[in-house]
Amino acid sequence: LCEAATPFAARSPAAIRRLLSALAILEQRDGKLNTGSLSAVTAAEKLGGSIHGFVAGSSIKGVAEEAAKVDRLEKVIAVENGAYDKGLPENYAPLLVENIKKGGYTHVIAGHTAFGKNLMPRVAALLDSQQISDITSIEDEKTFVRSIYAGNAVATVESSDDIKIITIRGTAFPAAEVAGGSAAIEDGVDPKADCPTEWISEDLAKSDRPDLATATKVVSGGRGLKSKEEFDKIMLPLADSLGAAVGASRAAVDSGYADNSLQVGQTGKVVAPQLYMAVGISGAIQHLAGMKDSKVIAAINKDADAPIFQVADVGLVGDLFEKVPELTEKLNKA
Ligand code: FAD
């Protein structure tokens, strides 16, 4: 019996898995593979079919070779062209669509990062598919779990589209290890689409501290810090004493105490470190949406009724301007 004659739904789970093929979109910056984007490979693994990786940009050979070491990847599709270095969706989306069509993939998976959020809705539109955003779990090849209402409810969604265009929450899928694999590297197709957008420049906040999105410890400051000077004076020594990344509430960012890239929450970064310490943060639902999956949550707030204490494992009611320097001093002596 010819396989194509059997409706998809009528096949056995093993037969379905054989037909599944996922393309994991991998990110790169300045010719270096962003290993955080290997979460897409871990997510693809849950589907059980074949997995290819996709990379594009200048000097892409090194990135492709690095990606090829990922155990679960069968193939890495690489497109060498500096026009894709900055991941502008205007030309990256048609590039991806051509490669999706050529590879006949059933699932295309990217991180729910600035890059993925920019790119995947456009890819979905070009393929006439419904994009499935920010998923936290894969139930089967067509059923996915995602949180809604700022993390207050969980929706299980089913897609009947032929090609599922998915972004995943990085904290829900640990990045696949760069080890044990030797995937084939293949040149992808390059449609060289016109790009009406021009990359002018970027102004990145540089820091020697751990990266907020992947750090195992995060200390975040809120409006309670009162000013940028106090934020830096109180939060940075605390972060250094713990070897932690620095985060901030939106109120702290909007007030200019901390850089935009440090915002944690619904409209900022979603983090799930081993330790999350909230200092002078009230615990609004939009903030909780970005940190409530942390393993241990500690909070310092002068208001014993602050909502942050409802999710905190450890709480300290007191004035942060006294308590945090005291804590930092003790940590430095320990
Ligand atoms: P506040 O709510 O003002 O809390 C300050 C806290 O500091 C208080 O609890 C106070 O008791 C405490 N405090 C003050 N002085 C001291 C002291 N001396 N010692 C100890 N404690 C002290 N917010 C986010 O954080 N991230 C988001 O991504 C985000 N996205 C949003 C999206 C939308 C659509 C909307 C509508 C809102 C969003 N917000 C987000 C904003 C959110 O609703 C809150 O306004 C914000 O989180 C409040 O920040 P905060 O806790 O720092 O400030």
Side-chain angles (χ1 to χ4, degrees):
L1 181 70
C2 165
E3 286 226 291
T6 311
F8 206 79
R11 294 170 199 265
S12 71
I16 288 176
R17 274 198 298 278
R18 275 202 303 280
L19 294 178
L20 298 177
S21 59
L23 185 64
I25 312 306
L26 307 181
E27 299 183 30
Q28 60 97 16
R29 176 179 277 275
D30 301 330
K32 286 209 180 68
L33 177 69
N34 174 350
T35 50
S37 67
L38 294 171
S39 291
V41 178
T42 307
E45 214 175 333
K46 308 268 176 216
L47 295 162
S50 68
I51 312 170
H52 294 175
F54 183 85
V55 289
S58 54
S59 317
I60 208 65
K61 195 162 169 274
V63 182
E65 282 169 357
E66 186 73 359
K69 292 183 201 151
V70 176
D71 186 27
R72 262 310 256 117
L73 285 181
E74 286 173 22
K75 208 185 266 183
V76 176
I77 313 294
V79 175
E80 171 90 34
N81 185 342
Y84 304 119
D85 273 348
K86 298 298 180 186
L88 293 173
E90 288 82 354
N91 62 352
Y92 210 111
L95 164 74
L96 208 45
V97 166
E98 288 308 310
N99 284 280
I100 293 166
K101 285 182 181 163
K102 185 181 171 218
Y105 300 103
T106 54
H107 294 74
V108 183
I109 305 179
H112 196 68
T113 56
F115 171 73
K117 284 190 269 186
N118 240 347
L119 175 68
M120 296 298 260
R122 200 176 277 255
V123 171
L126 290 170
L127 290 168
D128 201 18
S129 280
Q130 172 75 51
Q131 203 229 312
I132 309 156
S133 292
D134 199 17
I135 64 161
T136 53
S137 169
I138 294 177
E139 303 290 286
D140 60 36
E141 81 283 353
K142 58 181 182 332
T143 318
F144 311 94
V145 178
R146 57 188 301 271
S147 55
I148 54 173
Y149 300 124
N152 281 316
V154 173
T156 301
V157 296
E158 200 175 290
S159 165
S160 55
D161 283 328
D162 292 339
I163 307 175
K164 321 281 193 260
I165 306 295
I166 301 166
T167 60
I168 55 156
R169 184 171 292 192
T171 53
F173 302 92
E177 274 185 49
V178 183
S182 57
I185 298 174
E186 188 180 295
D187 286 341
V189 280
D190 186 355
K192 297 193 169 74
D194 282 342
C195 188
T197 308
E198 189 188 348
W199 183 269
I200 306 287
S201 68
E202 63 189 352
D203 189 5
L204 292 176
K206 292 207 173 64
S207 166
D208 294 333
R209 296 190 178 84
D211 174 45
L212 176 60
T214 52
T216 55
K217 293 174 200 159
V218 173
V219 294
S220 277
R223 186 159 24 210
L225 269 305
K226 306 270 191 290
S227 68
K228 175 165 173 43
E229 291 67 37
E230 293 293 348
F231 189 100
D232 289 350
K233 197 168 113 193
I234 301 279
M235 297 304 294
L236 304 189
L238 175 64
D240 292 340
S241 69
L242 283 164
V246 177
S249 71
R250 176 156 156 185
V253 168
D254 288 351
S255 308
Y257 306 171
D259 189 79
N260 205 26
S261 61
L262 302 186
Q263 184 176 318
V264 172
Q266 186 188 339
T267 41
K269 295 208 165 86
V270 177
V271 299
Q274 297 294 321
L275 172 67
Y276 186 89
M277 195 179 289
V279 177
I281 291 179
S282 59
I285 50 163
Q286 296 89 354
H287 187 78
L288 301 187
M291 45 61 78
K292 68 177 170 31
D293 291 332
S294 306
K295 298 284 173 297
V296 175
I297 298 172
I300 301 178
N301 198 304
K302 68 176 182 188
D303 175 7
D305 294 325
I308 191 76
F309 288 126
Q310 286 166 21
V311 296
D313 301 288
V314 190
L316 179 59
V317 179
D319 185 345
L320 69 89
F321 295 104
E322 279 173 30
K323 302 295 179 196
V324 177
E326 199 182 318
L327 175 64
T328 305
E329 200 187 315
K330 286 191 172 142
L331 285 166
N332 285 336
K333 279 189 189 148

